[in-house]
């Protein structure tokens, strides 16, 4: 039975989850947990917190399986959820390292946030402008990789390109953004979260 479950689509597995099929959820967990963990670890840089963040999300999915939209696209949904979970974890981590007297200083907390929000809006516009400067094919490859979280192999197959070409497009795109966003390193992380997720 478990082998048959592994062949099911996300949609069918979620249907089984709604019927309280724990084995179906285990398949979904195996399918996404490693990618979600790696995503969280990339930004949190703490294995324990990354694992806890991923586990909390997957447990939440199981607990809310009856309330999930039957037509939900699971992969984009999970990556939006892990994005929000990571942002919350990063916020808690930032507050945890503030000196105690600053943690309760409203001005200390609010002023940088307002400044960063302005910088984020500015950086977002720069990012979109620089995205438009990429060739149409390079834009498509980059969006499929960073916005849709598609693998190199999936992109190559859909666009009828070689893996080498896909990797070169992504590498060139990242170099393009690094160069043009180099003056915004303090807020680049925030914009990556809000614009490079599905």
């Amino acid at each position: 039975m478990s082998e048959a479950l592994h062949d099911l689509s996300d949609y069918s597995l979620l249907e089984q989850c709604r019927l309280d099929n724990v084995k179906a959820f285990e398949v979904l967990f195996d399918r996404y947990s490693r990618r979600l963990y790696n995503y969280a670890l990339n930004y949190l840089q703490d294995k324990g917190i990354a694992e806890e963040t991923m586990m909390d999300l997957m447990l939440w999915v199981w607990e809310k399986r009856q309330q999930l939209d039957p037509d939900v696209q699971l992969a984009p949904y999970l990556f939006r959820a892990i994005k929000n979970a990571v942002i919350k974890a990063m916020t808690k981590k930032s507050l945890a390292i503030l000196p105690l007297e600053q943690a309760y200083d409203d001005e200390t907390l609010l002023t940088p946030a307002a400044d960063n929000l302005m910088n984020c809006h500015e950086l977002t516009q720069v990012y979109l402008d620089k995205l438009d400067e990429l060739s149409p094919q390079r834009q498509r490859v980059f969006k499929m990789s960073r916005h849709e979280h598609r693998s190199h192999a999936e992109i190559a197959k859909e666009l009828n390109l070689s893996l080498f070409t896909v990797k070169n497009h992504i590498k060139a795109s990242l170099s393009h953004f690094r160069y043009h966003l180099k003056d915004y390193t303090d807020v680049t992380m925030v914009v990556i979260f809000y614009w490079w997720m599905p």
Side-chain angles (χ1 to χ4, degrees):
M1 176 65 178
S2 60
E3 290 184 4
L5 285 173
H6 278 284
D7 295 330
L8 293 180
S9 66
D10 290 349
Y11 176 86
S12 297
L13 287 169
L14 279 174
E15 285 293 307
Q16 289 295 315
C17 287
R18 291 188 186 93
L19 299 174
D20 299 329
N21 187 335
V22 177
K23 293 292 185 183
F25 178 74
E26 289 175 353
V27 173
L28 284 176
F29 184 90
D30 290 341
R31 189 173 290 179
Y32 288 105
S33 60
R34 176 54 56 178
R35 291 167 61 192
L36 294 170
Y37 167 77
N38 286 338
Y39 180 90
L41 181 62
N42 186 48
Y43 294 106
L44 296 172
Q45 297 296 306
D46 184 305
K47 292 181 179 180
I49 297 176
E51 183 174 6
E52 181 181 355
T53 301
M54 178 274 292
M55 291 294 293
D56 286 348
L57 170 58
M58 294 306 292
L59 179 61
W60 183 89
V61 170
W62 172 252
E63 291 175 345
K64 300 296 182 181
R65 62 193 181 280
Q66 304 293 349
Q67 287 97 342
L68 289 177
D69 185 342
D71 297 322
V72 66
Q73 293 185 324
L74 189 62
Y77 180 86
L78 288 176
F79 278 100
R80 280 194 296 270
I82 197 69
K83 174 197 73 171
N84 292 328
V86 165
I87 291 172
K88 289 180 181 178
M90 289 178 72
T91 302
K92 289 180 182 177
K93 193 174 179 182
S94 296
L95 291 176
I97 62 176
L98 278 175
L100 187 60
E101 62 273 14
Q102 290 188 26
Y104 295 95
D105 185 342
D106 290 342
E107 186 175 350
T108 300
L109 291 175
L110 292 176
T111 303
D115 291 343
N116 281 343
L117 184 59
M118 292 175 61
N119 289 337
C120 285
H121 287 318
E122 180 183 352
L123 178 55
T124 296
Q125 190 56 55
V126 173
Y127 165 70
L128 292 175
D129 290 343
K130 298 309 172 185
L131 182 64
D132 285 340
E133 291 180 2
L134 298 175
S135 68
Q137 186 178 72
R138 187 159 290 174
Q139 267 194 59
R140 181 76 194 282
V141 169
F142 186 80
K143 286 179 179 179
M144 290 175 73
S145 172
R146 292 310 194 265
H147 293 220
E148 301 172 22
H149 293 277
R150 307 280 287 277
S151 70
H152 291 175
E154 290 172 334
I155 297 170
K157 183 178 180 181
E158 181 165 331
L159 299 183
N160 195 28
L161 300 172
S162 69
L163 278 174
F164 178 78
T165 300
V166 170
K167 290 178 182 179
N168 272 355
H169 277 317
I170 294 172
K171 182 178 179 181
S173 297
L174 289 174
S175 295
H176 174 77
F177 287 118
R178 284 193 195 100
Y179 177 79
H180 289 289
L181 303 181
K182 64 181 182 294
D183 295 329
Y184 298 85
T185 53
D186 56 330
V187 291
T188 299
M189 184 75 72
V190 178
V191 174
I192 285 173
F193 278 125
Y194 280 97
W195 285 100
W196 292 8
M197 286 296 296

